Amino acid sequence: MSKLPQDIMVDILTYLPVKSLLRFKCVCKLWHSLISDPKFVKSHLKTAREVNSNKSQRLLLSTRTPQSVDFEAASEGDEDNAVQELEYPDVVRCSPTYFIGIMGSCDGLICLFVDYAKLVLWNPSTRDYKEMPKPSCDHGFDFFAGIGYDSSNDDYKFVIPSCTTADGSEQIMVEVLTLKTNVWRKVPEICQGTTLVGAYRGLFCNGAVHWLGKQENGSEKEYVAVSFDVAEERFKEVVPLPDHFDTVVLGMSGNSLCAFGECHGSYFEAWIHEQEYDSSASFRRLFRLPADRLSQEPKVVLCLTKKGELLLDYDEWQLALYHPVADKNKCIRAYRDSNLCDLAIYTESLVSINGDDSRDPRRRCWRKMVIA
């Protein structure tokens, strides 16, 4: 490797998993410098999104000992190595009641809501973390949230939308915290005639945080995808979801937004977002199944795997993969120690929260080595 030109060496390293790169930082000062460089971190993340999206994505379970589930490995048949135990930061482990909610994820950064009181931003791959200030408004125990990346300012933003009523019409207002300033502020942008429903955790893709919503349509209310542009700090035009859904959840397939819905108890459908929010045709149906093909237990669809399997959370106790073509169910051996356990899809990354890597002594190991 030492005889390779540096640009080729960097290109090879961008394809390696985060776990290997953290070990390689201990090889020598040159590798530590290369892997710590913000340009390399961005390049590695870009490769993870565009080339290795199905290899770098994991499911985080906020059990007492957090677990990271490689659902793609389980989908390929490697169930024995699919689940890895992690360790919370000290600021989380010292919490008295130990309720850990997951309020959003973006580029490997996960926002934890600890004991209904503290917001902690955490990268489980690098162990980097930061406790965030409380919002200016009291949102209580139950609120919608999300985190996204502002590419125009190279910054991450945590977003809290609030549903209110004005002049007899429902509307959504927003508070935003930027990671660089660490200050909350209210955004004047308002989404009129819409309220948020379903999962409180927004999904970030294509530059926006997305939630499930309902929009007033005369005397009826229809399901819509509500999206907040993180860079421009404005709501995009809401996109109606299929009007035959009785129940619907938003999920992911790689880097694309999906909608999973049940219709009249007779069939189940999966739809995928076609990138641009410009018309109601931006969601395309992937498949339809008879409802009795899926277990009747309460379930939430989380995402689609590379093989087209549905990752399911059954009644907040059992994870499973279901193949709609083969009509087969496969359980994932992750344990659930509480029905308060939360979960979210995230991408393994080297993204730093604090701007340095001095917090974890493992990442300073090269200083102790003797380089021949």
Side-chain angles (χ1 to χ4, degrees):
M1 282 291 275
S2 60
K3 296 181 181 180
L4 287 175
Q6 184 166 312
D7 58 339
I8 296 179
M9 187 189 308
V10 169
D11 187 55
I12 293 172
L13 291 174
T14 58
Y15 286 86
L16 298 181
V18 170
K19 187 175 180 180
S20 298
L21 292 173
L22 292 175
R23 290 202 305 266
F24 291 166
K25 290 176 80 171
C26 299
V27 171
C28 62
K29 289 185 177 182
L30 173 61
W31 281 27
H32 184 280
S33 177
L34 282 176
I35 297 169
S36 302
D37 190 299
K39 291 183 179 178
F40 175 81
V41 172
K42 287 188 175 69
S43 179
H44 180 267
L45 182 61
K46 186 173 185 286
T47 302
R49 285 203 208 102
E50 299 177 359
V51 182
N52 296 327
S53 63
N54 291 301
K55 293 182 179 179
S56 59
Q57 288 190 327
R58 300 288 189 272
L59 176 70
L60 179 70
L61 275 70
S62 65
T63 42
R64 279 193 170 273
T65 299
Q67 298 167 89
S68 177
V69 179
D70 185 349
F71 51 86
E72 291 291 350
S75 177
E76 295 293 339
D78 189 11
E79 295 97 333
D80 294 337
N81 298 309
V83 182
Q84 174 191 3
E85 289 190 343
L86 305 176
E87 188 177 81
Y88 287 122
D90 290 341
V91 69
V92 177
R93 290 200 303 270
C94 67
S95 63
T97 62
Y98 226 83
F99 166 74
I100 313 295
I102 302 176
M103 306 308 295
S105 69
C106 175
D107 293 349
L109 304 184
I110 297 175
C111 184
L112 304 177
F113 188 35
V114 184
D115 286 341
Y116 305 102
K118 292 186 290 189
L119 291 171
V120 177
L121 197 59
W122 177 45
N123 185 331
S125 302
T126 64
R127 299 188 180 184
D128 201 13
Y129 71 91
K130 176 180 182 178
E131 185 173 353
M132 297 191 293
K134 293 181 179 179
S136 57
C137 297
D138 183 9
H139 296 279
F141 296 158
D142 189 14
F143 58 92
F144 292 88
I147 183 172
Y149 177 64
D150 176 359
S151 57
S152 63
N153 293 300
D154 188 25
D155 201 0
Y156 290 90
K157 295 179 179 178
F158 189 66
V159 181
I160 296 182
S162 303
C163 299
T164 61
T165 302
D167 299 325
S169 177
E170 294 170 326
Q171 62 182 23
I172 305 172
M173 305 180 70
V174 173
E175 275 189 283
V176 172
L177 178 140
T178 57
L179 189 57
K180 287 181 179 178
T181 63
N182 206 37
V183 174
W184 286 99
R185 54 191 171 80
K186 293 182 180 179
V187 175
E189 179 75 11
I190 293 176
C191 184
Q192 201 77 33
T194 307
T195 187
L196 300 180
V197 296
Y200 55 83
R201 178 176 51 253
L203 302 175
F204 178 76
C205 64
N206 299 323
V209 181
H210 309 270
W211 296 273
L212 180 66
K214 279 193 171 184
Q215 187 177 52
E216 299 168 355
N217 184 10
S219 60
E220 302 291 328
K221 287 189 177 182
E222 59 183 11
Y223 284 115
V224 294
V226 179
S227 62
F228 183 78
D229 188 297
V230 174
E232 297 183 7
E233 295 188 353
R234 66 176 181 86
F235 285 101
K236 296 186 176 183
E237 183 178 351
V238 298
V239 175
L241 297 175
D243 58 8
H244 53 269
F245 282 154
D246 293 325
T247 60
V248 60
V249 296
L250 297 182
M252 299 292 293
S253 175
N255 297 313
S256 298
L257 187 69
C258 289
F260 305 104
E262 291 193 13
C263 317
H264 313 302
S266 58
Y267 54 91
F268 169 90
E269 290 183 345
W271 294 62
I272 191 167
H273 181 227
E274 298 285 16
Q275 302 299 320
E276 295 297 328
Y277 267 69
D278 53 4
S279 71
S280 59
S282 58
F283 276 91
R284 173 176 57 88
R285 191 172 71 188
L286 293 174
F287 58 81
R288 173 188 286 187
L289 298 173
D292 56 10
R293 289 268 297 274
L294 293 173
S295 169
Q296 296 305 304
E297 297 177 41
K299 58 190 172 294
V300 175
V301 184
L302 302 172
C303 71
L304 278 171
T305 70
K306 182 180 180 181
K307 290 174 63 175
E309 291 181 313
L310 295 165
L311 179 60
L312 303 168
D313 178 25
Y314 279 111
D315 204 19
E316 300 185 339
W317 283 106
Q318 177 66 62
L319 295 174
L321 290 163
Y322 174 75
H323 199 295
V325 177
D327 191 22
K328 289 184 178 179
N329 226 33
K330 183 191 306 176
C331 292
I332 297 178
R333 300 189 191 99
Y335 68 88
R336 310 288 283 271
D337 53 19
S338 168
N339 60 0
L340 293 177
C341 168
D342 211 348
L343 38 75
I345 306 291
Y346 74 101
T347 300
E348 289 191 309
S349 81
L350 295 164
V351 173
S352 173
I353 298 172
N354 294 288
D356 61 62
D357 60 1
S358 60
R359 184 183 297 278
D360 190 341
R362 296 178 308 158
R363 286 173 274 164
R364 298 197 305 269
C365 58
W366 62 269
R367 301 171 193 250
K368 302 178 183 178
M369 297 178 63
V370 176
I371 307 299

